[in-house]
Amino acid sequence: MSDQGVAQDGTRFPPGAQILVRDEEWLVRNTTTTDYDGERIEAVGVSEFVRDEEAVFFSKIDSVELLDPEKTELVADTSSYFRRSRLFLEAVLRKTPLPQSERGLALTDRFLLDPLGYQQRPAGLALSMRNLRPRVLIADVVGLGKTLEIGLTLAELIRRGRGERILVVTPQSILEQFQHELWTRFSIPLVRLDSLGIQRIQREIPAGRNPFTHYKRVIISVDTLKNIGQYRHHLERIRWDAVVIDESHNLINPGSQRRALAETLAPRTDALLLASATPHNGDKRSFADLISLLDPAAIADREHYDPAEDLGHLYIRRTKISPEVRDEMGTEWPDRGPTVSLHCAATEAEERVFAELTEHWLPVPAGADFGTADQDRSSVASEQIFAYNLLKTFLSSHTALRETVDNRIARLGERVRKAEEKGLAAGSAITHEQAALSRLREIIAGMGDGTAPGDSAKLDALVAQLTQIGVGPGSTVRAVVFSERVRTLTWLAKVVPARLGFPVGADGEAKAVAVMHGGLSDDEQAKVLESFGLADTPVRLLFTGDVASEGVNLHRQCHHLIHYDIPWSLIRIEQRNGRIDRYGQKHQPQFRALILTSAVPGAKDDRTVAEKLLRREEEAHKLDGTAEAVTGCYRAEEEERRLIMELVAGGTVEDFLAEGQDDDTTLADLFGQVDTITETELPARAELISLFEGDTAAFVATALDEVYKERAEDLIGLATGTDAKGGTYFSLSPAKAPDLLHRLKALPPGYLKEQRVGERMLVTFDRALAQRKLTEARESSTTIWPEVSFLTDIHPVVEWLTDKVLVAFDAQQAPVITTPHVDGPVFLVQGIHSNALGRPTVVRWMAVSGLDAGSPEVRSMADALRDAKVGPRLARTGGPRDLDGLQALVPAAVAAARGHLDAGRAQWEERISEPLAAYRARVAQWRTDSLLPGISGRRERLVEETADELARLLDQLRTTGRPLLRVLAVLDRPAAAPATTPDAQREN
């Protein structure tokens, strides 16, 4: 055995080496020495029958053979225009993971999306090695395209061999939306799992098998997975290459199920991508806890830290007004229109409600302290916060108020009953409130049901506005109407369609209307969103609660949004608006808000709170791009609670907004980090070699010709087609190719079923066609999935063909390409340095020449291929001059390549060692700063364990052992041949 198989630590099978075990080829990931069984070799399958399978071998138990590059057998390539060699080399180039030293992006322009630099920056940050691992919090504000930024980052990880096992965790309302975007845009298939899906898998697999190993790339709702007790033992036994947690602000609360889930997943993944437009709750310690999931050594003192200094490697945030976003957006995202406040003068009946609330529930305070006994004389409410909840309910609708009053009467009656059972009096406060509630119920009883004008001022205004913007029978105009109250939503869905002239069925329901709220299941929510998002469905109005205000896309067919009632939270208003004001919106987003006004002196109508918040949100959006830092509250619920407490204490909205500006500015500075971003250029591009000039379409066409030898039509049903606008595509029958069909099982089941992919799969490299088909799918009433799939570099069909051409030559064979454009033999050699995790740290593509003259020279493989004119025009004019002579030079070529790698190792590794050394120093400083006098023994142990674990990881990321070398091909002058040969055939 050559000494190339002996690593510096004494092992014979260094990470990255290829080995032969049990007649199959494997790639070594890690090697350790045992006391009795020799070397313990962790490996992953390379050859067809074991590909991607993980295994552990022991050198004293298994027969482990290192594939020695010196034993490479050279074979003449007799294919037309050296097609087999070019395909083989291209496949090796494509399948070799990009190394750790390559920080540039490789695939940013290969997907079905606009090449926007700001959306590429998170991937650039994740791969920059400013952090130990690819771990970032993507905190762009609502609408900038965080899903696309996640997709780009995952694709780059896949190209680096670090994205095989992916877990995506999202709220249930956006599961299908996220799954759809990653497949249609990036060709990243995610299998959607819910609790029933997990149970189904458990029935299909052997007892005790981990259901999360059944599929490699999974998307699951946080609501399913947060039951950490049920799934903990499965999650603790699996490692992921990448975990994505969307809407990650839900992870902040210590002790919550979501937090426990995150703490289980974070240590068991290499890459961790968190995404949230509202990434913290205003508490510095809570935000530090969230950041610790990404980098445990980022913050020593969780009460005092500098966002820009301590978190710049972990965090990225932009708004719509950020220069790099604004400059690139163009027409893809028109500026939003002003929020139009529509004043609705209360009806006579509504004024009676205002009068009752003003006189008995919410009298104007005259300096009274509502925390004293004076409260009973000021308000009939036994709980003052309830009085404001009552007001908010009425400002939503009188039908919602009726429900709230009835529920409150029932609860107070239950209190009285329980008191009487104990022989106690109910108390005057409850008695007074019961009487006031009864008066309110009598007033509400006289109000109409909304079927006729005059029953509700806001309802009349809503119908008028919908009519004005064109919503009605025969029109394609759509609008989304938000309300906080489910009762208001269901009432509107019942009465509005008929007043707009939409047909209503015998059951009282109209097909033109959809209703969405938190009481629906995830499947029901998905169906509602799908019906509103597809242009060819009859739905024209979506009445929705704030369950749709986080992450949901409503902009595809809609640019009109109406606030039927207004949240008492700037954050919630902004989140609502962001459903149609987001990247990809083709029309100016239009916002309207219904403002119920009263002439009753002292009445707290919508002008008291709601209209003021609308104006402040609009001002903040224009000035800062977001309203989240205005009040110093970073959670909608907390913002509303504090505002109500301000009102209870006699304050005003202006007081509340002014108080928020006096808070600690550290977190506001964090949100303003976008202004301190110094990078002005796009992330660097990776340096890639291609024999097809990066043209994946040409590679696929040539591969199909080579693999199926002009019989692809019969063997896999290959056919080409053109759509009405001249777009080209091709189709194939996966059922005729079992190995392809097996790969496609990982695609979204809904897509497989609806498009009948197993029978016929349509694919294209035509970007315009793919975009048209994606648009047509949104305009369909039957499916959200486009019938034609866009072929990216990581598409399963492309990967399938790449693997098929890799076996054109045996494991230790290398083709000889004859070309008159070389003076002597040129050996093309791949060299890979790996770390202890088996991941490439440095990859070099070398061309070794001058061996026949005894003076070897090593240069770039790309230059050698270009100079030798290896391409589709290089016809074969004769075989090798001396195949045996070339074979004898193989050991010298390997030695020259090894010497070149050894000589340049220090320089190439510098790009890796410098950031690792900087991080090691940071960990040491963090350990020193954390071990303060007086800390608890538990905290001290945690710090030491974390520092030790990070040190071990740093050691694993360093280059270890000797390089893996592989002879890929030889270029040489041809032997004498006739001027015209049978091989001078058509170009490929």
PDB file of all heavy atoms in Angstrom, residues 475-478 528-540 554-558 774-784:
ATOM      1  N   SER A 475     -66.260  40.188 -11.574  1.00  0.00           N
ATOM      2  CA  SER A 475     -64.987  40.901 -11.438  1.00  0.00           C
ATOM      3  C   SER A 475     -63.920  39.961 -10.882  1.00  0.00           C
ATOM      4  O   SER A 475     -64.224  39.037 -10.123  1.00  0.00           O
ATOM      5  CB  SER A 475     -65.154  42.107 -10.507  1.00  0.00           C
ATOM      6  OG  SER A 475     -63.903  42.681 -10.196  1.00  0.00           O
ATOM      7  N   THR A 476     -62.671  40.231 -11.255  1.00  0.00           N
ATOM      8  CA  THR A 476     -61.556  39.428 -10.720  1.00  0.00           C
ATOM      9  C   THR A 476     -60.887  40.087  -9.522  1.00  0.00           C
ATOM     10  O   THR A 476     -59.950  39.533  -8.952  1.00  0.00           O
ATOM     11  CB  THR A 476     -60.492  39.213 -11.815  1.00  0.00           C
ATOM     12  OG1 THR A 476     -59.993  40.487 -12.244  1.00  0.00           O
ATOM     13  CG2 THR A 476     -61.072  38.463 -13.004  1.00  0.00           C
ATOM     14  N   VAL A 477     -61.359  41.275  -9.134  1.00  0.00           N
ATOM     15  CA  VAL A 477     -60.737  42.011  -8.035  1.00  0.00           C
ATOM     16  C   VAL A 477     -60.959  41.262  -6.721  1.00  0.00           C
ATOM     17  O   VAL A 477     -62.070  40.800  -6.438  1.00  0.00           O
ATOM     18  CB  VAL A 477     -61.313  43.437  -7.931  1.00  0.00           C
ATOM     19  CG1 VAL A 477     -60.712  44.168  -6.726  1.00  0.00           C
ATOM     20  CG2 VAL A 477     -61.044  44.200  -9.214  1.00  0.00           C
ATOM     21  N   ARG A 478     -59.905  41.182  -5.925  1.00  0.00           N
ATOM     22  CA  ARG A 478     -59.982  40.505  -4.630  1.00  0.00           C
ATOM     23  C   ARG A 478     -59.581  41.462  -3.515  1.00  0.00           C
ATOM     24  O   ARG A 478     -58.840  42.417  -3.739  1.00  0.00           O
ATOM     25  CB  ARG A 478     -59.072  39.281  -4.592  1.00  0.00           C
ATOM     26  CG  ARG A 478     -59.401  38.270  -5.657  1.00  0.00           C
ATOM     27  CD  ARG A 478     -58.657  36.976  -5.477  1.00  0.00           C
ATOM     28  NE  ARG A 478     -58.956  36.065  -6.571  1.00  0.00           N
ATOM     29  CZ  ARG A 478     -58.785  34.756  -6.530  1.00  0.00           C
ATOM     30  NH1 ARG A 478     -58.300  34.210  -5.441  1.00  0.00           N
ATOM     31  NH2 ARG A 478     -59.075  34.007  -7.568  1.00  0.00           N
ATOM     32  N   VAL A 528     -57.952  27.173   2.626  1.00  0.00           N
ATOM     33  CA  VAL A 528     -58.418  28.555   2.493  1.00  0.00           C
ATOM     34  C   VAL A 528     -57.378  29.396   1.758  1.00  0.00           C
ATOM     35  O   VAL A 528     -57.696  30.135   0.821  1.00  0.00           O
ATOM     36  CB  VAL A 528     -58.722  29.158   3.877  1.00  0.00           C
ATOM     37  CG1 VAL A 528     -58.950  30.669   3.762  1.00  0.00           C
ATOM     38  CG2 VAL A 528     -59.945  28.496   4.492  1.00  0.00           C
ATOM     39  N   LEU A 529     -56.107  29.285   2.180  1.00  0.00           N
ATOM     40  CA  LEU A 529     -55.048  30.077   1.554  1.00  0.00           C
ATOM     41  C   LEU A 529     -54.869  29.702   0.086  1.00  0.00           C
ATOM     42  O   LEU A 529     -54.632  30.562  -0.769  1.00  0.00           O
ATOM     43  CB  LEU A 529     -53.738  29.881   2.321  1.00  0.00           C
ATOM     44  CG  LEU A 529     -53.716  30.448   3.743  1.00  0.00           C
ATOM     45  CD1 LEU A 529     -52.445  30.042   4.459  1.00  0.00           C
ATOM     46  CD2 LEU A 529     -53.859  31.965   3.718  1.00  0.00           C
ATOM     47  N   GLU A 530     -54.986  28.415  -0.204  1.00  0.00           N
ATOM     48  CA  GLU A 530     -54.848  27.973  -1.591  1.00  0.00           C
ATOM     49  C   GLU A 530     -55.976  28.541  -2.447  1.00  0.00           C
ATOM     50  O   GLU A 530     -55.745  29.025  -3.562  1.00  0.00           O
ATOM     51  CB  GLU A 530     -54.850  26.445  -1.655  1.00  0.00           C
ATOM     52  CG  GLU A 530     -54.693  25.892  -3.061  1.00  0.00           C
ATOM     53  CD  GLU A 530     -54.647  24.373  -3.093  1.00  0.00           C
ATOM     54  OE1 GLU A 530     -54.299  23.770  -2.063  1.00  0.00           O
ATOM     55  OE2 GLU A 530     -54.970  23.802  -4.150  1.00  0.00           O
ATOM     56  N   SER A 531     -57.214  28.498  -1.942  1.00  0.00           N
ATOM     57  CA  SER A 531     -58.342  28.997  -2.727  1.00  0.00           C
ATOM     58  C   SER A 531     -58.238  30.497  -2.985  1.00  0.00           C
ATOM     59  O   SER A 531     -58.630  30.984  -4.047  1.00  0.00           O
ATOM     60  CB  SER A 531     -59.662  28.683  -2.019  1.00  0.00           C
ATOM     61  OG  SER A 531     -59.774  29.402  -0.799  1.00  0.00           O
ATOM     62  N   PHE A 532     -57.672  31.247  -2.030  1.00  0.00           N
ATOM     63  CA  PHE A 532     -57.531  32.689  -2.221  1.00  0.00           C
ATOM     64  C   PHE A 532     -56.329  33.016  -3.106  1.00  0.00           C
ATOM     65  O   PHE A 532     -56.324  34.031  -3.794  1.00  0.00           O
ATOM     66  CB  PHE A 532     -57.378  33.390  -0.872  1.00  0.00           C
ATOM     67  CG  PHE A 532     -57.455  34.889  -0.953  1.00  0.00           C
ATOM     68  CD1 PHE A 532     -58.647  35.518  -1.263  1.00  0.00           C
ATOM     69  CD2 PHE A 532     -56.336  35.679  -0.720  1.00  0.00           C
ATOM     70  CE1 PHE A 532     -58.725  36.908  -1.342  1.00  0.00           C
ATOM     71  CE2 PHE A 532     -56.402  37.063  -0.795  1.00  0.00           C
ATOM     72  CZ  PHE A 532     -57.609  37.674  -1.108  1.00  0.00           C
ATOM     73  N   GLY A 533     -55.329  32.141  -3.112  1.00  0.00           N
ATOM     74  CA  GLY A 533     -54.109  32.404  -3.867  1.00  0.00           C
ATOM     75  C   GLY A 533     -54.162  31.972  -5.310  1.00  0.00           C
ATOM     76  O   GLY A 533     -53.323  32.376  -6.109  1.00  0.00           O
ATOM     77  N   LEU A 534     -55.134  31.133  -5.672  1.00  0.00           N
ATOM     78  CA  LEU A 534     -55.255  30.680  -7.051  1.00  0.00           C
ATOM     79  C   LEU A 534     -56.241  31.579  -7.795  1.00  0.00           C
ATOM     80  O   LEU A 534     -57.367  31.801  -7.361  1.00  0.00           O
ATOM     81  CB  LEU A 534     -55.748  29.227  -7.095  1.00  0.00           C
ATOM     82  CG  LEU A 534     -54.795  28.191  -6.470  1.00  0.00           C
ATOM     83  CD1 LEU A 534     -55.438  26.818  -6.473  1.00  0.00           C
ATOM     84  CD2 LEU A 534     -53.475  28.162  -7.215  1.00  0.00           C
ATOM     85  N   ALA A 535     -55.804  32.092  -8.941  1.00  0.00           N
ATOM     86  CA  ALA A 535     -56.604  33.092  -9.648  1.00  0.00           C
ATOM     87  C   ALA A 535     -57.885  32.516 -10.226  1.00  0.00           C
ATOM     88  O   ALA A 535     -58.861  33.240 -10.415  1.00  0.00           O
ATOM     89  CB  ALA A 535     -55.764  33.728 -10.761  1.00  0.00           C
ATOM     90  N   ASP A 536     -57.913  31.211 -10.505  1.00  0.00           N
ATOM     91  CA  ASP A 536     -59.047  30.633 -11.206  1.00  0.00           C
ATOM     92  C   ASP A 536     -60.108  30.082 -10.262  1.00  0.00           C
ATOM     93  O   ASP A 536     -60.973  29.316 -10.673  1.00  0.00           O
ATOM     94  CB  ASP A 536     -58.552  29.523 -12.148  1.00  0.00           C
ATOM     95  CG  ASP A 536     -59.566  29.192 -13.224  1.00  0.00           C
ATOM     96  OD1 ASP A 536     -60.357  30.086 -13.572  1.00  0.00           O
ATOM     97  OD2 ASP A 536     -59.593  28.045 -13.703  1.00  0.00           O
ATOM     98  N   THR A 537     -60.034  30.431  -8.992  1.00  0.00           N
ATOM     99  CA  THR A 537     -61.073  30.028  -8.047  1.00  0.00           C
ATOM    100  C   THR A 537     -62.093  31.157  -7.914  1.00  0.00           C
ATOM    101  O   THR A 537     -61.792  32.312  -8.213  1.00  0.00           O
ATOM    102  CB  THR A 537     -60.481  29.715  -6.664  1.00  0.00           C
ATOM    103  OG1 THR A 537     -59.873  30.908  -6.144  1.00  0.00           O
ATOM    104  CG2 THR A 537     -59.444  28.611  -6.756  1.00  0.00           C
ATOM    105  N   PRO A 538     -63.296  30.854  -7.448  1.00  0.00           N
ATOM    106  CA  PRO A 538     -64.325  31.896  -7.345  1.00  0.00           C
ATOM    107  C   PRO A 538     -64.152  32.822  -6.145  1.00  0.00           C
ATOM    108  O   PRO A 538     -64.882  33.812  -6.033  1.00  0.00           O
ATOM    109  CB  PRO A 538     -65.623  31.084  -7.211  1.00  0.00           C
ATOM    110  CG  PRO A 538     -65.203  29.795  -6.591  1.00  0.00           C
ATOM    111  CD  PRO A 538     -63.832  29.509  -7.145  1.00  0.00           C
ATOM    112  N   VAL A 539     -63.189  32.526  -5.260  1.00  0.00           N
ATOM    113  CA  VAL A 539     -63.040  33.325  -4.046  1.00  0.00           C
ATOM    114  C   VAL A 539     -62.589  34.744  -4.393  1.00  0.00           C
ATOM    115  O   VAL A 539     -61.598  34.938  -5.089  1.00  0.00           O
ATOM    116  CB  VAL A 539     -62.030  32.671  -3.078  1.00  0.00           C
ATOM    117  CG1 VAL A 539     -61.845  33.548  -1.835  1.00  0.00           C
ATOM    118  CG2 VAL A 539     -62.503  31.291  -2.669  1.00  0.00           C
ATOM    119  N   ARG A 540     -63.329  35.710  -3.895  1.00  0.00           N
ATOM    120  CA  ARG A 540     -62.981  37.113  -4.110  1.00  0.00           C
ATOM    121  C   ARG A 540     -62.736  37.856  -2.802  1.00  0.00           C
ATOM    122  O   ARG A 540     -62.103  38.902  -2.793  1.00  0.00           O
ATOM    123  CB  ARG A 540     -64.109  37.822  -4.887  1.00  0.00           C
ATOM    124  CG  ARG A 540     -64.280  37.302  -6.310  1.00  0.00           C
ATOM    125  CD  ARG A 540     -63.037  37.611  -7.142  1.00  0.00           C
ATOM    126  NE  ARG A 540     -63.110  37.076  -8.495  1.00  0.00           N
ATOM    127  CZ  ARG A 540     -62.610  35.905  -8.858  1.00  0.00           C
ATOM    128  NH1 ARG A 540     -62.004  35.139  -7.954  1.00  0.00           N
ATOM    129  NH2 ARG A 540     -62.702  35.478 -10.095  1.00  0.00           N
ATOM    130  N   LEU A 554     -50.409  36.718   0.792  1.00  0.00           N
ATOM    131  CA  LEU A 554     -51.739  37.000   0.244  1.00  0.00           C
ATOM    132  C   LEU A 554     -51.661  37.941  -0.947  1.00  0.00           C
ATOM    133  O   LEU A 554     -52.678  38.440  -1.413  1.00  0.00           O
ATOM    134  CB  LEU A 554     -52.642  37.619   1.327  1.00  0.00           C
ATOM    135  CG  LEU A 554     -52.885  36.776   2.582  1.00  0.00           C
ATOM    136  CD1 LEU A 554     -53.740  37.544   3.577  1.00  0.00           C
ATOM    137  CD2 LEU A 554     -53.542  35.454   2.233  1.00  0.00           C
ATOM    138  N   HIS A 555     -50.459  38.190  -1.454  1.00  0.00           N
ATOM    139  CA  HIS A 555     -50.253  39.235  -2.458  1.00  0.00           C
ATOM    140  C   HIS A 555     -50.344  38.754  -3.895  1.00  0.00           C
ATOM    141  O   HIS A 555     -50.315  39.575  -4.818  1.00  0.00           O
ATOM    142  CB  HIS A 555     -48.883  39.872  -2.250  1.00  0.00           C
ATOM    143  CG  HIS A 555     -47.740  38.941  -2.536  1.00  0.00           C
ATOM    144  ND1 HIS A 555     -47.485  37.821  -1.776  1.00  0.00           N
ATOM    145  CD2 HIS A 555     -46.795  38.949  -3.510  1.00  0.00           C
ATOM    146  CE1 HIS A 555     -46.427  37.197  -2.256  1.00  0.00           C
ATOM    147  NE2 HIS A 555     -45.995  37.852  -3.314  1.00  0.00           N
ATOM    148  N   ARG A 556     -50.437  37.461  -4.120  1.00  0.00           N
ATOM    149  CA  ARG A 556     -50.376  36.957  -5.486  1.00  0.00           C
ATOM    150  C   ARG A 556     -51.553  37.453  -6.327  1.00  0.00           C
ATOM    151  O   ARG A 556     -51.387  37.832  -7.490  1.00  0.00           O
ATOM    152  CB  ARG A 556     -50.365  35.422  -5.478  1.00  0.00           C
ATOM    153  CG  ARG A 556     -49.187  34.805  -4.750  1.00  0.00           C
ATOM    154  CD  ARG A 556     -47.879  35.160  -5.411  1.00  0.00           C
ATOM    155  NE  ARG A 556     -46.752  34.490  -4.750  1.00  0.00           N
ATOM    156  CZ  ARG A 556     -45.486  34.767  -4.993  1.00  0.00           C
ATOM    157  NH1 ARG A 556     -45.170  35.688  -5.872  1.00  0.00           N
ATOM    158  NH2 ARG A 556     -44.520  34.125  -4.360  1.00  0.00           N
ATOM    159  N   GLN A 557     -52.752  37.445  -5.769  1.00  0.00           N
ATOM    160  CA  GLN A 557     -53.930  37.863  -6.513  1.00  0.00           C
ATOM    161  C   GLN A 557     -54.627  39.067  -5.880  1.00  0.00           C
ATOM    162  O   GLN A 557     -55.747  39.393  -6.265  1.00  0.00           O
ATOM    163  CB  GLN A 557     -54.930  36.691  -6.588  1.00  0.00           C
ATOM    164  CG  GLN A 557     -54.360  35.372  -7.035  1.00  0.00           C
ATOM    165  CD  GLN A 557     -53.803  35.429  -8.444  1.00  0.00           C
ATOM    166  OE1 GLN A 557     -54.238  36.237  -9.265  1.00  0.00           O
ATOM    167  NE2 GLN A 557     -52.823  34.584  -8.740  1.00  0.00           N
ATOM    168  N   CYS A 558     -53.974  39.708  -4.921  1.00  0.00           N
ATOM    169  CA  CYS A 558     -54.665  40.720  -4.138  1.00  0.00           C
ATOM    170  C   CYS A 558     -53.743  41.881  -3.791  1.00  0.00           C
ATOM    171  O   CYS A 558     -52.590  41.658  -3.416  1.00  0.00           O
ATOM    172  CB  CYS A 558     -55.216  40.078  -2.853  1.00  0.00           C
ATOM    173  SG  CYS A 558     -55.969  41.216  -1.692  1.00  0.00           S
ATOM    174  N   LEU A 774     -45.496  28.462 -13.488  1.00  0.00           N
ATOM    175  CA  LEU A 774     -45.707  28.746 -12.066  1.00  0.00           C
ATOM    176  C   LEU A 774     -46.851  29.739 -11.905  1.00  0.00           C
ATOM    177  O   LEU A 774     -47.709  29.587 -11.015  1.00  0.00           O
ATOM    178  CB  LEU A 774     -44.423  29.301 -11.456  1.00  0.00           C
ATOM    179  CG  LEU A 774     -44.442  29.583  -9.953  1.00  0.00           C
ATOM    180  CD1 LEU A 774     -44.792  28.342  -9.159  1.00  0.00           C
ATOM    181  CD2 LEU A 774     -43.094  30.147  -9.511  1.00  0.00           C
ATOM    182  N   THR A 775     -46.899  30.745 -12.774  1.00  0.00           N
ATOM    183  CA  THR A 775     -47.987  31.722 -12.733  1.00  0.00           C
ATOM    184  C   THR A 775     -49.317  31.069 -13.083  1.00  0.00           C
ATOM    185  O   THR A 775     -50.345  31.318 -12.442  1.00  0.00           O
ATOM    186  CB  THR A 775     -47.700  32.874 -13.704  1.00  0.00           C
ATOM    187  OG1 THR A 775     -46.460  33.490 -13.346  1.00  0.00           O
ATOM    188  CG2 THR A 775     -48.807  33.913 -13.655  1.00  0.00           C
ATOM    189  N   GLU A 776     -49.313  30.201 -14.089  1.00  0.00           N
ATOM    190  CA  GLU A 776     -50.539  29.506 -14.470  1.00  0.00           C
ATOM    191  C   GLU A 776     -51.071  28.639 -13.339  1.00  0.00           C
ATOM    192  O   GLU A 776     -52.288  28.522 -13.155  1.00  0.00           O
ATOM    193  CB  GLU A 776     -50.286  28.644 -15.710  1.00  0.00           C
ATOM    194  CG  GLU A 776     -50.114  29.434 -16.991  1.00  0.00           C
ATOM    195  CD  GLU A 776     -49.744  28.549 -18.167  1.00  0.00           C
ATOM    196  OE1 GLU A 776     -49.791  27.302 -18.002  1.00  0.00           O
ATOM    197  OE2 GLU A 776     -49.396  29.084 -19.235  1.00  0.00           O
ATOM    198  N   ALA A 777     -50.163  28.038 -12.580  1.00  0.00           N
ATOM    199  CA  ALA A 777     -50.594  27.209 -11.455  1.00  0.00           C
ATOM    200  C   ALA A 777     -51.334  28.052 -10.429  1.00  0.00           C
ATOM    201  O   ALA A 777     -52.320  27.608  -9.826  1.00  0.00           O
ATOM    202  CB  ALA A 777     -49.393  26.520 -10.816  1.00  0.00           C
ATOM    203  N   ARG A 778     -50.862  29.294 -10.244  1.00  0.00           N
ATOM    204  CA  ARG A 778     -51.548  30.176  -9.295  1.00  0.00           C
ATOM    205  C   ARG A 778     -52.909  30.614  -9.833  1.00  0.00           C
ATOM    206  O   ARG A 778     -53.764  31.053  -9.076  1.00  0.00           O
ATOM    207  CB  ARG A 778     -50.680  31.406  -9.012  1.00  0.00           C
ATOM    208  CG  ARG A 778     -49.368  31.074  -8.331  1.00  0.00           C
ATOM    209  CD  ARG A 778     -48.744  32.340  -7.749  1.00  0.00           C
ATOM    210  NE  ARG A 778     -47.459  32.042  -7.146  1.00  0.00           N
ATOM    211  CZ  ARG A 778     -46.282  32.334  -7.693  1.00  0.00           C
ATOM    212  NH1 ARG A 778     -46.245  32.958  -8.841  1.00  0.00           N
ATOM    213  NH2 ARG A 778     -45.150  32.032  -7.078  1.00  0.00           N
ATOM    214  N   GLU A 779     -53.066  30.540 -11.137  1.00  0.00           N
ATOM    215  CA  GLU A 779     -54.331  30.945 -11.737  1.00  0.00           C
ATOM    216  C   GLU A 779     -55.243  29.755 -11.985  1.00  0.00           C
ATOM    217  O   GLU A 779     -56.295  29.890 -12.599  1.00  0.00           O
ATOM    218  CB  GLU A 779     -54.055  31.685 -13.049  1.00  0.00           C
ATOM    219  CG  GLU A 779     -53.278  32.975 -12.845  1.00  0.00           C
ATOM    220  CD  GLU A 779     -52.893  33.652 -14.139  1.00  0.00           C
ATOM    221  OE1 GLU A 779     -53.108  33.035 -15.200  1.00  0.00           O
ATOM    222  OE2 GLU A 779     -52.398  34.792 -14.089  1.00  0.00           O
ATOM    223  N   SER A 780     -54.824  28.602 -11.488  1.00  0.00           N
ATOM    224  CA  SER A 780     -55.613  27.395 -11.656  1.00  0.00           C
ATOM    225  C   SER A 780     -56.521  27.195 -10.454  1.00  0.00           C
ATOM    226  O   SER A 780     -56.228  27.650  -9.349  1.00  0.00           O
ATOM    227  CB  SER A 780     -54.677  26.186 -11.807  1.00  0.00           C
ATOM    228  OG  SER A 780     -55.364  24.976 -11.627  1.00  0.00           O
ATOM    229  N   SER A 781     -57.620  26.514 -10.657  1.00  0.00           N
ATOM    230  CA  SER A 781     -58.519  26.207  -9.541  1.00  0.00           C
ATOM    231  C   SER A 781     -58.315  24.792  -9.032  1.00  0.00           C
ATOM    232  O   SER A 781     -59.006  24.356  -8.117  1.00  0.00           O
ATOM    233  CB  SER A 781     -59.973  26.378  -9.999  1.00  0.00           C
ATOM    234  OG  SER A 781     -60.250  25.509 -11.095  1.00  0.00           O
ATOM    235  N   THR A 782     -57.377  24.065  -9.634  1.00  0.00           N
ATOM    236  CA  THR A 782     -57.219  22.656  -9.280  1.00  0.00           C
ATOM    237  C   THR A 782     -55.923  22.335  -8.561  1.00  0.00           C
ATOM    238  O   THR A 782     -55.853  21.351  -7.829  1.00  0.00           O
ATOM    239  CB  THR A 782     -57.292  21.787 -10.551  1.00  0.00           C
ATOM    240  OG1 THR A 782     -56.281  22.223 -11.469  1.00  0.00           O
ATOM    241  CG2 THR A 782     -58.670  21.926 -11.202  1.00  0.00           C
ATOM    242  N   THR A 783     -54.863  23.138  -8.749  1.00  0.00           N
ATOM    243  CA  THR A 783     -53.578  22.795  -8.135  1.00  0.00           C
ATOM    244  C   THR A 783     -52.713  24.029  -7.986  1.00  0.00           C
ATOM    245  O   THR A 783     -52.858  24.993  -8.738  1.00  0.00           O
ATOM    246  CB  THR A 783     -52.827  21.756  -8.988  1.00  0.00           C
ATOM    247  OG1 THR A 783     -51.561  21.451  -8.371  1.00  0.00           O
ATOM    248  CG2 THR A 783     -52.570  22.280 -10.395  1.00  0.00           C
ATOM    249  N   ILE A 784     -51.832  24.004  -7.006  1.00  0.00           N
ATOM    250  CA  ILE A 784     -50.855  25.079  -6.857  1.00  0.00           C
ATOM    251  C   ILE A 784     -49.533  24.702  -7.507  1.00  0.00           C
ATOM    252  O   ILE A 784     -48.623  25.518  -7.581  1.00  0.00           O
ATOM    253  CB  ILE A 784     -50.615  25.405  -5.375  1.00  0.00           C
ATOM    254  CG1 ILE A 784     -49.990  24.201  -4.647  1.00  0.00           C
ATOM    255  CG2 ILE A 784     -51.876  25.861  -4.703  1.00  0.00           C
ATOM    256  CD1 ILE A 784     -49.534  24.502  -3.230  1.00  0.00           C
TER     257      ILE A 784
END
